[in-house]
Amino acid sequence: MKRRDFLKHCSVAASGLVLVNVLPSYAHAMLKEGNLPLNKSLFEIFSNPENHYRPFVRWWWNGDKIEKSELARELRILKDAGIGGVEINPISFPSRTDDMNKPSVDWMSDEWIELLKFTLEEAKSLGMTCDLLVGTGFPMGGDFLKKEECSQIVVIAVKKLKGPLTTEFSLFDLYKEADPAITSPYSGRTMEMMEVKLVPDPLNSMDEVMNLSDQIKNGMIKVSIPKGDYAIYGLVKIQRFMSVIQGAPGGMGPVLNHYDTAAVKKYFNRMSDSIHQKIGPLAPNVRSFFVDSLETEGTNWSNDMMSEFKRRRGYDLYPYLPFVLFKIGGMGNTTGQNILYPVKSGPEFKKMIDRMRYDFELTKAEIFEERFVHTFVQWCKDNKIKSRAQAYGRGYFPLEGSFDIDIPECETWLKYGIGEDISEEKFTQYPWHLGRGNTMINKLVSSAAHLKDKKLISSEELTNTDMVFNESLEIFKIAGDQSTISGVTHPIFHGFNYSPPEAAFPGWITYGGYFNEKNTMWPYFKHYTDYRARLSAVLQQASMFADIALLAPFTDQWSEYGAQMEPFPVMVSPAYQALIWESIHQNGNACDYVSERVINDSEVKKGFLTYGKRKYHTLFLIEVHSLDTATASKLHDFVSSGGRIFCIEATPDRSTGWNNYEKRDREVRDWVTKMQAYPDRFIFLKKPASDFLGWYKTVQEKYNIKPYVKIQSPKTFVTQVRYQTDKADLFLFNNSSSKHNAPLDITFEKEVIRHKRAWLWDAATGKRFRLELPEGRLHIDLGPADSKLIVFDHDRKGIVWKDSPLTGNNSTELNNTWDVEFRHYDGTIKKEELNKLADLKELPAYVNFAGTVVYRNRFQSGDKSTINYLNLGIVYGICEVRINGVEAGTQWFGRRIYPLEGLIREGMNDIEIKVVTVMVNYMKTLKDNVVAQYWTNQKKKDQPLQSMGLAGPVTIY
């Protein structure tokens, strides 16, 4: 240890603050890295989480119209709401919003850096952590970049013709056709015609292609078309084709070329050097540098792309490139036009092009990983700051992109359908995964982290572009629990908008959830941040268990359809892919995704495929047709040593890529033939027509895939995940339905529970309760949106768990008249009597209400010992209850059942129930508010009216 670092550690430890637990988050992290114990039990970490375990927020500095006083105010608002840290994220000023003539501060200017320094110092004084976005908006770039440092793309223009015909084309017409319909084109883009070809339709051989490039004169090309169907193919290179999406002043302009190491280094160093020269090193006041969405819109080119391709793949791709490429649309995705856009190909020609397309996608992914990801990671190390990144996008390795990142990140979204009953058919038709908050990439990124033994896995959490002003804590919980089940241990909410209190209502909103002090739910937000903090705190101490591996057919997908824009691809192949991992978890097992690189780098030991600390006894190949020869060989070693492979719908029958493929195809088939000599361990499975949950349960039972927890009657909306520490096993069970109860009859494997005591740790309250598990069996009831954390450890003493029943003896419904007070968001108050409780959406006078509704009633009690519980029935919103003037508590999700011990008196009892509603029904009525109308009434954002209030029935028993 260097002398300076030794003194730092000594000064922190000697302060005595370790014992009283008031160190700022960065100091705790420093001590942990130095292996100095904090002397806390796992339950103490869980029950009272420190700041660095708390959820963070993406903090948009809108237009960088920032001032010190407001920066300080907002940090304190966030701290009070239970937020542990901020991701400083400069972004463009939102349209449709009045900026009150506040000036912007240019990113990386001296004034901006001074404001950054002030923010870091304020956050440190509050014990909060700061991350810092690299660049502004996404992906990174700026007007200061030289032309050769900007992103490039090579695209095709296709014009179909019928001969015989003599015609003339302007290159401008081809440029116009080639110009991709991306989200954020740069106005200064320049185009270069690389070549023009005349192609017959259909195309069976390159011998049929005629190069017309030498016929270009004065920007025109004259061509004679023989009889038949033909197409003109133009291959066009566009430089500086894309602009930074929502860049702030100082960071707007063309996007960086992520395939150019020198340009990437220069960009990073420009940022760190500018800051260091002004205020010195950012470490340790900045925890991590963050790279946001790598939505590079299909960028595919660098000046040495073809020479690198030839060096890596062993042949020249350039003559075939026009046929490898697809037409590009929004976000760089391939478009639906690709079915009709190019000429038809004969089967042999298509097979060749598909293999070449895979080689091109592989080459791009390798170059991106080497030149951008590795460069970013090294820059972070040089600055003694952690790397955090969403290292995925179109054409980047879904797993390997995250391997070197200190804090790999995925993303979880809010959208209509979460909590609802979603059929498998709808789920597989919708690449965003209708009904799920977690996206496809979550399981891939978390698997990558587990393979590298990382416990800190962040998520751009609760991203919201569909349900703005309809944020409820219950839907936060459902989506957040789905995120946790998929492997997330560190949520970063999307997001908190820098917005002065004097800004016109509803404030400055870039996008994302309405995380704002003016939201009706904001005073209760800490209930949710406490909940997520406790889960994060305990799961970051543990390792997620998995002994089953999945290999997705990315090779085949890249070959036939091209690399997709993860996490929202146009094409999911096969469409049911995510149902496999979900069904495994729903049936009491657990899995990771792996890749061919992971398999090749693994060791085979006693029937296990071992990669680092991960060990898998079973591997599912999901419609995998293509394998690298080294992968096929390793899989044979795995099967022959006792491991088991299930091939779903397909058995591998070919190799990857083009060069020398016939020899490699034979090798793959030979290895598969050898594996088929073990029919009990190399098994072909047909996918089910429906009911993947039941299908996997049948496979589990038939082939004795032993679950660590046996679930008697699994359900698609109930799933689980298992984590382990040296001394404890943790199981999180999650009900993602907003409507259905889920009685769980489960039996834990004896090896798990031997010599340990079972506990229920309540993440909503921080309390724990002892569970009695005869023969390892537990019956527990999961209400809607409910979750249960079951922990097995060596603690012995504690209060026995007692569930709150749905009903009981002497049940009485409070069906007399309710006195109701409507405290509207607009400040008005109205009182009236309701003879019957109802959803406010169904009451014409209150359908557009937003705010707090107070319900009051009275009930008679002869013997107070006979009244133990209050069940509010259906509640749409957050509810607080007072009995005889005494607080009974706040509940914000699922069943609203209140224990009444010590609250009931004999005779007359008064009950008061406050229900806080969402805002969207009210926002839809604000016709003169442009921001409100944009998010609630316009086009795809035309939101449905939401249920609100206390619908009951309210019963006591």
Side-chain angles (χ1 to χ4, degrees):
M1 184 183 291
K2 294 181 180 179
R3 181 176 183 274
R4 183 182 177 191
D5 292 337
F6 173 78
L7 292 174
K8 275 186 182 178
H9 281 75
C10 289
S11 63
V12 170
S15 68
L17 295 176
V18 176
L19 299 178
V20 295
N21 191 32
V22 293
L23 278 174
S25 298
Y26 75 90
H28 278 301
M30 187 168 67
L31 287 171
K32 286 186 176 181
E33 289 170 358
N35 297 315
L36 296 178
L38 294 177
N39 298 319
K40 275 194 169 188
S41 71
L42 190 63
F43 180 70
E44 287 172 322
I45 291 171
F46 164 83
S47 60
N48 187 24
E50 299 168 15
N51 271 357
H52 61 281
Y53 294 125
R54 291 193 158 275
F56 287 21
V57 293
R58 177 168 296 179
W59 189 14
W60 286 298
W61 284 8
N62 284 318
D64 273 334
K65 296 176 181 291
I66 48 177
E67 298 170 342
K68 286 184 178 180
S69 59
E70 180 60 18
L71 290 168
R73 189 188 76 86
E74 292 188 10
L75 281 171
R76 281 157 178 78
I77 287 171
L78 290 168
K79 175 71 179 292
D80 290 344
I83 297 298
V86 294
E87 170 203 304
I88 298 169
N89 195 308
I91 200 164
S92 61
F93 191 78
S95 57
R96 304 172 297 276
T97 307
D98 179 8
D99 69 358
M100 304 183 295
N101 294 317
K102 289 185 178 289
S104 292
V105 181
D106 280 357
W107 177 69
M108 286 297 112
S109 66
D110 287 352
E111 184 181 358
W112 189 91
I113 294 169
E114 186 59 39
L115 286 164
L116 173 66
K117 177 185 178 183
F118 171 81
T119 303
L120 298 178
E121 291 172 347
E122 284 291 300
K124 180 179 176 181
S125 73
L126 297 171
M128 298 177 74
T129 303
C130 290
D131 291 353
L132 181 60
L133 181 73
V134 182
T136 79
F138 56 94
M140 64 193 68
D143 283 324
F144 49 84
L145 291 173
K146 295 180 179 178
K147 185 176 181 179
E148 62 270 18
E149 296 169 344
C150 299
S151 61
Q152 305 174 41
I153 190 171
V154 172
V155 292
I156 53 171
V158 177
K159 285 189 174 291
K160 292 186 176 180
L161 302 167
K162 196 172 189 68
L165 176 69
T166 299
T167 188
E168 194 173 46
F169 281 103
S170 163
L171 291 188
F172 177 79
D173 291 336
L174 291 175
Y175 288 145
K176 186 178 179 180
E177 174 66 28
D179 202 7
I182 61 173
T183 307
S184 184
Y186 180 59
S187 59
R189 61 194 182 281
T190 58
M191 297 187 179
E192 173 190 343
M193 186 63 68
M194 301 174 74
E195 62 177 24
V196 180
K197 295 177 184 287
L198 178 64
V199 180
D201 188 3
L203 174 62
N204 294 296
S205 167
M206 288 296 291
D207 294 337
E208 301 172 341
V209 176
M210 181 183 301
N211 196 324
L212 304 177
S213 301
D214 59 355
Q215 298 183 33
I216 300 173
K217 295 181 180 178
N218 300 318
M220 302 293 293
I221 183 165
K222 190 173 182 179
V223 59
S224 294
I225 310 292
K227 183 178 180 180
D229 294 325
Y230 285 84
I232 297 292
Y233 270 62
L235 187 67
V236 180
K237 180 169 78 170
I238 310 176
Q239 292 187 288
R240 297 187 297 179
F241 77 101
M242 179 191 178
S243 181
V244 174
I245 301 172
Q246 294 193 270
M252 298 185 288
V255 168
L256 174 72
N257 190 343
H258 293 66
Y259 294 134
D260 185 332
T261 305
V264 170
K265 281 184 178 179
K266 184 179 176 182
Y267 189 97
F268 290 152
N269 290 333
R270 179 184 185 273
M271 179 175 168
S272 53
D273 290 350
S274 297
I275 295 172
H276 291 173
Q277 289 168 11
K278 181 69 176 175
I279 61 174
L282 287 171
N285 293 331
V286 169
R287 178 189 67 163
S288 74
F289 286 132
F290 173 58
V291 173
D292 195 8
S293 302
L294 286 163
E295 297 172 15
T296 52
E297 304 267 24
T299 182
N300 62 9
W301 204 252
S302 62
N303 293 335
D304 63 347
M305 181 61 75
M306 287 296 93
S307 60
E308 277 295 311
F309 182 96
K310 188 172 184 179
R311 182 178 71 83
R312 295 164 190 257
R313 307 282 88 89
Y315 65 97
D316 184 5
L317 179 68
Y318 189 73
Y320 309 92
L321 189 58
F323 312 108
V324 166
L325 299 175
F326 287 122
K327 188 170 180 62
I328 298 300
M331 294 182 73
N333 266 314
T334 53
T335 73
Q337 295 181 43
N338 285 310
I339 298 171
L340 303 173
Y341 193 69
V343 300
K344 296 181 180 67
S345 299
E348 289 303 311
F349 190 83
K350 182 180 185 303
K351 180 170 70 175
M352 175 183 72
I353 291 301
D354 284 352
R355 287 178 176 271
M356 291 179 173
R357 184 177 296 114
Y358 170 75
D359 284 340
F360 188 43
E361 300 291 5
L362 176 63
T363 300
K364 290 187 295 177
E366 288 175 348
I367 293 174
F368 174 82
E369 182 182 13
E370 295 162 13
R371 297 182 180 180
F372 181 77
V373 176
H374 291 173
T375 305
F376 170 61
V377 169
Q378 186 58 52
W379 174 67
C380 292
K381 288 179 179 177
D382 292 344
N383 284 278
K384 297 181 174 56
I385 287 175
K386 292 185 182 299
S387 56
R388 182 177 137 239
Q390 297 177 356
Y392 47 83
R394 180 170 183 249
Y396 314 136
F397 292 122
L399 264 78
E400 287 88 341
S402 296
F403 275 3
D404 292 333
I405 302 296
D406 294 317
I407 309 174
E409 178 155 301
C410 48
E411 50 196 86
T412 295
W413 286 60
L414 286 186
K415 48 190 177 285
Y416 283 102
I418 293 173
E420 302 297 321
D421 294 333
I422 301 298
S423 68
E424 287 181 349
E425 182 182 10
K426 285 185 178 179
F427 178 79
T428 56
Q429 287 175 353
Y430 197 61
W432 287 45
H433 285 177
L434 191 63
R436 311 298 194 272
N438 53 294
T439 59
M440 292 183 66
I441 208 71
N442 285 36
K443 190 64 176 174
L444 291 162
V445 168
S446 65
S447 296
H450 301 149
L451 287 161
K452 293 299 182 179
D453 196 30
K454 295 171 186 172
K455 298 178 175 62
L456 191 61
I457 304 162
S458 64
S459 172
E460 174 190 306
E461 191 86 352
L462 306 178
T463 302
N464 186 3
T465 58
D466 289 352
M467 304 178 67
V468 180
F469 303 119
N470 187 25
E471 295 88 359
S472 71
L473 297 189
E474 178 165 297
I475 197 168
F476 285 173
K477 185 177 187 300
I478 294 173
D481 284 346
Q482 290 175 333
S483 187
T484 302
I485 288 293
S486 67
V488 171
T489 63
H490 178 39
I492 298 175
F493 296 146
H494 183 281
F496 189 82
N497 284 276
Y498 177 96
S499 181
E502 65 271 21
F505 177 77
W508 295 354
I509 301 177
T510 294
Y511 47 42
Y514 190 49
F515 293 98
N516 189 286
E517 63 204 283
K518 297 175 183 178
N519 195 322
T520 51
M521 64 86 179
W522 188 255
Y524 303 89
F525 189 52
K526 194 170 185 295
H527 289 284
Y528 183 63
T529 58
D530 285 348
Y531 172 80
R532 290 303 295 274
R534 291 186 183 107
L535 287 180
S536 294
V538 71
L539 296 184
Q540 286 179 30
Q541 315 307 313
S543 296
M544 182 184 147
F545 177 85
D547 55 7
I548 296 172
L550 307 181
L551 182 65
F554 285 120
T555 297
D556 298 306
Q557 179 175 285
W558 285 14
S559 297
E560 188 169 357
Y561 306 111
Q564 300 292 298
M565 176 60 213
E566 300 293 350
F568 305 126
V570 170
M571 173 62 65
V572 180
S573 177
Y576 62 83
Q577 185 190 132
L579 289 171
I580 302 297
W581 83 257
E582 288 194 351
S583 297
I584 289 171
H585 281 260
Q586 289 158 0
N587 279 282
N589 289 119
C591 60
D592 287 328
Y593 277 104
V594 295
S595 65
E596 290 200 51
R597 190 195 301 183
V598 168
I599 293 170
N600 294 341
D601 291 344
S602 297
E603 293 183 74
V604 175
K605 297 179 181 178
K606 298 180 180 180
F608 283 88
L609 194 67
T610 303
Y611 186 95
K613 295 182 179 181
R614 306 304 272 181
K615 293 174 61 177
Y616 308 106
H617 57 66
T618 298
L619 172 64
F620 283 87
L621 306 185
I622 307 173
E623 287 200 31
V624 173
H625 288 275
S626 305
L627 284 177
D628 182 72
T629 53
T631 308
S633 173
K634 183 60 64 74
L635 293 182
H636 173 262
D637 292 345
F638 175 55
V639 170
S640 62
S641 74
R644 186 158 50 180
I645 295 176
F646 292 98
C647 300
I648 302 175
E649 279 295 298
T651 300
D653 57 5
R654 56 182 179 262
S655 61
T656 59
W658 169 250
N659 200 23
N660 200 23
Y661 77 92
E662 292 172 320
K663 176 177 178 294
R664 293 184 294 106
D665 281 0
R666 289 193 294 271
E667 290 180 35
V668 169
R669 287 193 287 267
D670 286 346
W671 286 120
V672 169
T673 300
K674 292 176 181 177
M675 286 187 277
Q676 289 171 331
Y678 302 92
D680 59 331
R681 300 202 292 273
F682 190 78
I683 301 161
F684 176 83
L685 296 173
K686 292 290 291 182
K687 73 174 179 66
S690 61
D691 187 20
F692 278 80
L693 171 71
W695 168 82
Y696 179 76
K697 186 175 180 63
T698 300
V699 171
Q700 188 186 55
E701 293 171 349
K702 180 178 180 179
Y703 295 101
N704 194 28
I705 304 174
K706 191 175 182 181
Y708 50 73
V709 56
K710 186 175 182 179
I711 301 172
Q712 190 67 31
S713 300
K715 297 173 178 61
T716 56
F717 52 86
V718 176
T719 190
Q720 58 76 42
V721 69
R722 176 187 179 188
Y723 279 78
Q724 294 176 299
T725 71
D726 291 340
K727 298 180 180 179
D729 274 88
L730 304 94
F731 299 82
L732 181 66
F733 294 88
N734 166 40
N735 179 5
S736 62
S737 172
S738 63
K739 295 180 174 64
H740 303 302
N741 295 322
L744 275 183
D745 192 349
I746 54 182
T747 305
F748 293 93
E749 184 186 10
K750 290 181 179 179
E751 290 297 319
V752 173
I753 64 176
R754 182 173 291 146
H755 307 307
K756 293 176 183 174
R757 169 73 72 182
W759 299 85
L760 188 150
W761 289 13
D762 187 349
T765 64
K767 298 177 181 179
R768 64 177 171 182
F769 304 91
R770 189 159 49 89
L771 295 171
E772 300 299 333
L773 271 66
E775 300 299 316
R777 187 169 180 177
L778 173 66
H779 181 84
I780 200 163
D781 196 15
L782 284 177
D786 199 2
S787 57
K788 293 287 188 286
L789 179 62
I790 310 297
V791 178
F792 291 87
D793 62 20
H794 298 286
D795 290 339
R796 293 295 169 189
K797 295 182 179 180
I799 300 171
V800 175
W801 166 251
K802 184 180 180 183
D803 202 357
S804 296
L806 282 170
T807 188
N809 297 326
N810 304 314
S811 178
T812 302
E813 180 181 345
L814 303 187
N815 55 10
N816 48 329
T817 300
W818 291 83
D819 293 322
V820 185
E821 183 177 323
F822 295 89
R823 301 173 182 172
H824 199 286
Y825 187 89
D826 64 11
T828 60
I829 297 176
K830 184 176 180 180
K831 297 181 180 181
E832 72 170 79
E833 293 182 348
L834 290 181
N835 294 323
K836 184 179 180 181
L837 296 172
D839 180 353
L840 300 187
K841 186 178 71 171
E842 307 304 324
L843 301 179
Y846 300 105
V847 64
N848 297 120
F849 179 85
T852 301
V853 191
V854 184
Y855 300 83
R856 297 185 178 95
N857 211 327
R858 310 186 82 192
F859 61 90
Q860 186 77 27
S861 171
D863 180 0
K864 64 181 182 180
S865 66
T866 63
I867 300 178
N868 308 113
Y869 295 96
L870 168 71
N871 188 333
L872 301 186
I874 296 174
V875 180
Y876 301 108
I878 302 162
C879 59
E880 295 181 78
V881 170
R882 295 172 69 89
I883 304 292
N884 298 319
V886 179
E887 292 284 351
T890 300
Q891 296 193 11
W892 47 277
F893 67 90
R895 295 186 302 225
R896 312 303 171 89
I897 303 174
Y898 287 81
L900 298 178
E901 184 177 355
L903 299 175
I904 301 299
R905 62 193 179 201
E906 293 182 3
M908 193 61 67
N909 290 263
D910 295 314
I911 180 171
E912 179 182 279
I913 303 166
K914 289 183 182 178
V915 179
V916 179
T917 76
V918 295
M919 300 179 66
V920 66
N921 294 11
Y922 169 59
M923 302 302 282
K924 287 174 74 71
T925 69
L926 303 180
K927 301 300 184 182
D928 294 330
N929 190 311
V930 177
V931 176
Q933 291 304 293
Y934 172 79
W935 290 110
T936 64
N937 277 345
Q938 293 181 12
K939 298 180 181 178
K940 293 182 180 180
K941 303 183 190 301
D942 185 3
Q943 297 191 52
L945 291 170
Q946 296 299 298
S947 294
M948 300 180 296
L950 175 63
V954 176
T955 55
I956 54 174
Y957 46 92

